């Protein structure tokens, strides 16, 4: 007999794998539609069947994300429709498999075989590949766990689960601090998985996207250097970046979004051979990157610089072809921009349809409660940190940084300088330049904010030449004992760190075996006690006022969230509460936590009017911070047709019951705190 | 056949060896500085759970 939790985890994981198959099938077909059969065959010969499959996987995410956006705006994001779309996408899988297995011509394959360095069995690089495989398996086991990431529980998982429950993408008043207004290209896949499965499907899918990013980094390094060894080391550099691996399976959008960015660069490595079609493809990918995260805008100048360098060099094609293509650079740029607009504009249209402001909540709609409560990040670096940027990023711990970068970045830098002219490193220097351009752009935008997860694409760009430098050293001085022991010892130590930091896999296996429960994982976290009480007792149609709730909304049933205060109701409350815009444009005078800002703004003025508002709008429960309980109870009006009682006292928040009619009569004297003297 | 462009002068050999040692030092510094920070926040919890795991068996 399989335990319910075990079967749910297995079903979720299998669903994510099936979904990945549908995405790859659809993506490979779409890729062929853009590139044509000959172009697709060339890509296969250039980057191999796995490379083409990876591009299909990322392409499928982009296309299917667009489909989900249209369906959700039309109110048709139902489980049955999601299943039908996934089933239809699966029809493309046999065709895609045939293409991946047989699509390449031997003559075309030979164009890239010359420089490939195949790792011989039992070689050092086979051990590195094995180590990477083991770490990936351990991260996969950890991804079976429900997400423990604060931002995911606050926002990233809340929106897709509620959308899956309602089937319709609308302004989500309860989804503080983003309200469904941020780019949703990644979250819409989670919505589909919530609709047809459960949260394990989402975390496993996020893990697959994380693997996709590592694979994309390796593919990019390979397509530049033609060295599988360099690709392997580049993958290890990203895999050993805590800012990446700590979020794998954690349901934050960054790892999945980074796939689009690196896919755009992979496409541009094929620019001299395939021209405008890969420019269109790169444009689509960069558009989807922006439709996943606005901060990916820093990749755009890097992409332009990379395209210019690659096209200028005419990598691996004759000079006459390159000269011909140089004449159409402007046209290429227009094609790329148009493709990027096609992929990126739907998210702006979505915001325009929802609130009338395409760039909300960052820009526009300033007189709304949500624009004023949108969460802005405070700087986490000092000016002195800027002068030691690589070392701070590698070794220091700054607020909200959520993980350092791999020590291999700093460690391999001298080797990159020493071997910059070597045949493996030199072709990858364009990637180093692009990575530096992206980082410089970020420093110009927000020099004092350093979040590793926002800078994954530049890191992947830098990993390619750094990996090539290590391979070059190995081949150049592999017989030098000091060099051999230093470099291989360093890589072994990196694996030891990775194995140690993958110890969460134990929890994943225990969760799969139903030894640890979901409740045990979340018990003690902010708002869980109140959420459990509400989930068990709130009847369909009963409304709960969550304005003062400071816990994680993900703990609450989506039906409760959907029935909570509407946008208009929160606007009314905000206009009578502590208006953030009057105190500070960035809310620094108020609590710094995301949920604290919301609670302070919406429940800071407990007046009889506010209580009448809750009674008149049919709320049955009101969540309120425990430290505001006395003020709130003291303002209960006398002229209202209901009675008020304390339903539940949680660790941080309390739950008040507004009872009417017969329910009011049943309210026990011990529960009751305020009673109306004369019902209306 | 590989074509090496790196040369093999004594000065270059020293620079390469120093770069290799730098790589090792960078990783070791990471283990000394960053890993304990991570350990201090989660190892106690992990040990508790492992004891629980052993107790379950």
């Amino acid at each position: 007999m399989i335990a319910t939790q075990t079967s749910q985890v297995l079903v979720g994981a299998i669903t994510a794998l099936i979904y990945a198959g549908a995405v790859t099938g659809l993506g490979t077909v779409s890729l062929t539609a853009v590139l044509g059969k000959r172009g697709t065959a060339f890509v296969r010969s250039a980057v191999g069947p796995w490379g083409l499959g990876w591009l299909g996987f990322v392409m499928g995410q982009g296309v299917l994300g667009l489909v989900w956006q249209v369906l959700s705006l039309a109110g048709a994001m139902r489980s049955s429709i999601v299943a039908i779309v996934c089933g239809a996408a699966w029809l493309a899988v046999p065709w895609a498999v045939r293409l991946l297995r047989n699509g390449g011509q031997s003559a075309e394959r030979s164009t890239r075989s010359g420089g490939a360095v195949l790792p011989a069995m039992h070689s050092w690089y086979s051990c590195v590949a094995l180590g990477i495989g083991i770490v990936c398996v351990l991260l996969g086991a950890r991804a079976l766990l429900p997400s423990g990431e604060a931002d995911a529980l606050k926002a990233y998982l809340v929106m897709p689960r509620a959308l899956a429950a309602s089937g319709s993408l609308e302004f989500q008043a309860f989804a503080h601090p983003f309200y469904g207004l941020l780019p949703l290209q990644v979250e819409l896949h989670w919505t589909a998985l919530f609709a047809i499965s459960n949260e394990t499907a989402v975390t496993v899918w996020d893990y697959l996207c994380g693997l996709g990013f590592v694979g994309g980094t390796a593919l990019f390094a390979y397509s530049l250097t033609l060295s599988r060894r360099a690709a392997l080391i580049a993958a290890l550099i990203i895999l050993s970046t805590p800012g990446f691996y700590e979020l794998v399976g954690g349901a934050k959008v960054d790892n999945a979004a980074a796939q689009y960015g690196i896919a755009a660069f992979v496409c541009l490595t094929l620019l001299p051979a395939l021209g405008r079609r890969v420019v269109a493809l790169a444009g689509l990918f960069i558009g989807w990157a922006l439709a996943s995260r606005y901060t990916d805008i820093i990749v755009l100048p890097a992409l332009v610089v990379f395209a210019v360098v690659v096209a200028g060099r005419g990598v691996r094609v004759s000079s006459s072809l390159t000269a011909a293509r140089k004449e159409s650079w402007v046209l290429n740029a227009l094609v790329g921009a148009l493709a990027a607009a096609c992929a990126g504009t739907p998210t702006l249209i979505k915001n325009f349809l929802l609130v009338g402001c395409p760039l909300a909540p960052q820009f526009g709609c300033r007189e709304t409660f949500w624009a004023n409560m949108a969460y802005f990040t405070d700087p986490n670096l000092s000016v002195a940190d800027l002068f030691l940027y690589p070392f701070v990023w590698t070794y220091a711990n700054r607020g909200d940084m959520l993980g350092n970068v791999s020590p291999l970045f700093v460690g391999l830098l001298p080797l990159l300088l020493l071997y910059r002219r070597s045949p493996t490193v030199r072709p990858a220097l364009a990637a180093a330049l692009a990575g530096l351009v992206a980082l410089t752009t970020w420093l110009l935008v927000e020099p004092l904010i350093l979040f590793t997860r926002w800078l994954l694409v530049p890191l992947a760009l830098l990993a390619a030449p750094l990996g090539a430098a290590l391979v070059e050293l190995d081949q150049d001085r592999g017989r030098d004992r000091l060099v051999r022991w230093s470099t291989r010892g360093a890589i072994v130590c990196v694996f030891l760190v990775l194995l140690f930091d993958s110890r969460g896999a134990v929890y994943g296996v225990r969760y799969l075996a139903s030894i640890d429960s979901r409740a045990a994982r979340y018990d003690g976290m902010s708002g869980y006690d109140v959420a459990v009480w509400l989930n068990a007792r709130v009847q369909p149609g009963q409304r709960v006022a969550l304005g003062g709730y400071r816990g994680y909304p993900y703990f609450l049933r989506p039906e409760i969230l959907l029935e909570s205060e509407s946008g208009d109701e929160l606007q009314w409350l905000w206009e009578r509460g502590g208006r953030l815009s009057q105190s500070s444009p960035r809310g620094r005078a108020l609590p710094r936590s995301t949920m604290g800002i919301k609670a302070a703004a919406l429940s800071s003025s407990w007046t009889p009017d506010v209580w009448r508002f809750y009674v008149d709008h049919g709320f049955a429960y009101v969540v309120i911070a425990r430290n505001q309980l006395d003020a709130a109870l003291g303002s209960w009006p006398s002229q209202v047709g209901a009675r008020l009682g304390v339903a539940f006292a949680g660790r941080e928040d309390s739950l008040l019951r507004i009872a009417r009619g017969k329910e009011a009569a049943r309210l026990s004297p011990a529960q009751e705190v305020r009673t109306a003297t004369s019902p209306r | 056949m590989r074509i090496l462009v790196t040369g093999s002068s004594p000065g270059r050999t020293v620079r390469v060896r120093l770069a290799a040692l730098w790589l090792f030092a960078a990783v070791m510094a990471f283990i000394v500085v960053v890993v304990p920070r991570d350990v201090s926040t989660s190892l106690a919890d992990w040990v508790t759970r492992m004891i629980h795991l052993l107790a379950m068996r």
Side-chain angles (χ1 to χ4, degrees), chain A residues 394-397 404 410-411 414-415 418-419 422 472-473 475-477 480 486 497 500-501 503 507 510 516, chain B residues 2 5-7 12-13 16-17 19-22 24 26 30-31 34 37-39 42 45-46 49 52-53:
Chain A
T394 310
Y395 301 109
N397 184 24
N404 301 85
V410 166
L415 289 178
L418 278 169
Y419 286 98
S422 65
E472 199 62 48
L473 170 81
Q475 290 169 352
D476 181 22
R477 309 271 174 164
D480 186 326
S486 300
V497 171
F500 181 72
D501 268 356
R503 61 193 180 281
Y507 303 149
R510 286 172 63 85
D516 291 344
Chain B
R2 288 189 47 74
V5 296
T6 50
R12 184 167 187 87
T13 301
V16 171
R17 284 180 176 178
L21 283 173
W22 167 264
F24 186 75
F30 191 83
I31 291 172
V34 178
R37 199 170 62 213
D38 178 35
V39 170
S42 62
D45 175 50
W46 192 73
R49 290 202 177 214
H52 178 62
L53 173 66

Side-chain angles (χ1 to χ4, degrees), chain A residues 380-416:
Chain A
N380 61 344
L381 294 185
S382 66
V383 176
D385 286 339
L386 285 179
F387 295 99
L388 294 167
Y389 208 78
F391 296 96
V392 168
W393 207 357
T394 310
Y395 301 109
N397 184 24
R398 296 289 180 266
D400 297 331
M401 201 163 86
L402 292 191
N404 301 85
V405 289
S406 171
L408 295 177
F409 283 103
V410 166
L412 290 171
L413 198 58
L415 289 178
L416 178 62

Side-chain angles (χ1 to χ4, degrees), chain A residues 322-343:
Chain A
T322 309
R325 293 212 164 83
K326 277 180 182 174
E327 294 170 10
S328 60
W329 275 16
V330 174
L331 199 58
N332 279 352
L334 282 174
V335 167
L338 195 64
C342 286

Side-chain angles (χ1 to χ4, degrees), chain A residues 653-673:
Chain A
D653 295 329
S654 293
L655 197 56
L656 301 181
R657 176 82 166 102
I658 299 174
R660 301 170 183 79
K662 290 178 182 175
E663 285 180 275
R666 284 202 299 271
L667 203 66
S668 70
Q671 288 177 308
E672 186 183 354
V673 271

